[in-house]
Amino acid sequence: LDDKKIFAVENLFLILALTFGLIITFIGTPLQESDGWEHFIRSVDVSYGNLLAPVVILNHDGGQAVVPDNFGDVVFRTTKPETDEGIEFRNLLKSIKPSKNSMKMTFYAGTMSVFYYPQALGIFIGRLFGLSFYGWVIFGRIVNLLVYIVLSYLAVKITPILKNAMIVIALLPMSLYQAASFSPDSMLNGLCFLFAALVFYYA
């Protein structure tokens, strides 16, 4: 095997991003990122088929979101650092299995569904396996992280210049924290890396 291919910088990025991204995925208190609860609701809604917002609002009227009919059992809270609140909230999510029946709840959002596709796919996988709400959170985070890593990996591999700089930016704690969350900025950041790499490549 070609040693240069094995130890290419993009492969180093892949190893580091997967390692630290997955650590953040599992140790981070669920849904505590900025607007985390709202992002979760939007991801759940997209997982039920609302794939074209805001161009076309599928499966419900505007100002609504489709969620399990026991969604109200999850009492969201912003947890305080250095307390047991994060553990308590995680245990709450683990203890509640989403109902197979859905309902429409009031929720106003005009954001694009496409940036919630990864998170929604993770939730859909959680629904297929009958996981708890915590399982939905973990799978949503993992898929969002993987999409970010793939986009960033392709960017590093394609760009003919600034590979190391791009890796450093892509591995910043905030970058990985967003990637291992329900934030739509994760996919947007990865696309920006890829766009910049393509510009450098064709230039």
Side-chain angles (χ1 to χ4, degrees), residues 3-192:
D3 290 343
K4 292 183 179 178
K5 291 293 183 182
I6 296 175
F7 296 103
V9 290
E10 58 264 25
N11 295 336
L12 176 62
F13 164 77
L14 191 63
I15 294 170
L16 293 175
L18 275 172
T19 300
F20 292 107
L22 287 174
I23 290 173
I24 294 171
T25 296
F26 286 96
I27 68 171
T29 303
L31 310 176
Q32 297 302 303
E33 64 273 12
S34 178
D35 299 324
W37 181 241
E38 288 77 11
H39 294 320
F40 182 62
I41 295 174
R42 291 168 184 159
S43 301
V44 171
D45 184 45
V46 173
S47 79
Y48 277 97
N50 187 22
L51 302 174
L52 299 177
V55 179
V56 178
I57 307 297
L58 301 174
N59 75 8
H60 59 69
D61 297 326
Q64 295 179 324
V66 177
V67 296
D69 63 8
N70 65 338
F71 198 70
D73 294 343
V74 180
V75 182
F76 175 73
R77 67 191 73 130
T78 301
T79 60
K80 296 178 181 178
E82 300 181 10
T83 67
D84 291 334
E85 292 183 6
I87 296 174
E88 292 171 1
F89 183 59
R90 184 183 287 109
N91 290 337
L92 173 67
L93 293 175
K94 288 180 178 179
S95 68
I96 305 174
K97 184 169 282 193
S99 170
K100 294 184 178 179
N101 300 317
S102 62
M103 69 174 189
K104 298 175 183 177
M105 62 174 279
T106 301
F107 184 76
Y108 293 92
T111 52
M112 293 182 65
S113 295
V114 65
F115 292 111
Y116 292 98
Y117 281 3
Q119 305 92 310
L121 176 59
I123 290 174
F124 184 75
I125 293 171
R127 287 170 52 197
L128 288 179
F129 286 100
L131 302 180
S132 66
F133 279 111
Y134 182 71
W136 286 19
V137 169
I138 292 299
F139 271 88
R141 283 177 164 183
I142 288 175
V143 178
N144 202 28
L145 173 68
L146 291 178
V147 169
Y148 170 80
I149 290 175
V150 168
L151 291 171
S152 302
Y153 173 84
L154 290 174
V156 174
K157 189 175 182 66
I158 290 170
T159 184
I161 60 172
L162 300 176
K163 285 182 182 286
N164 292 340
M166 192 172 289
I167 287 176
V168 169
I169 297 171
L171 289 175
L172 286 173
M174 184 53 70
S175 299
L176 287 180
Y177 179 75
Q178 281 190 326
S181 74
F182 275 78
S183 174
D185 294 340
S186 169
M187 185 176 179
L188 185 60
N189 290 342
L191 288 171
C192 287

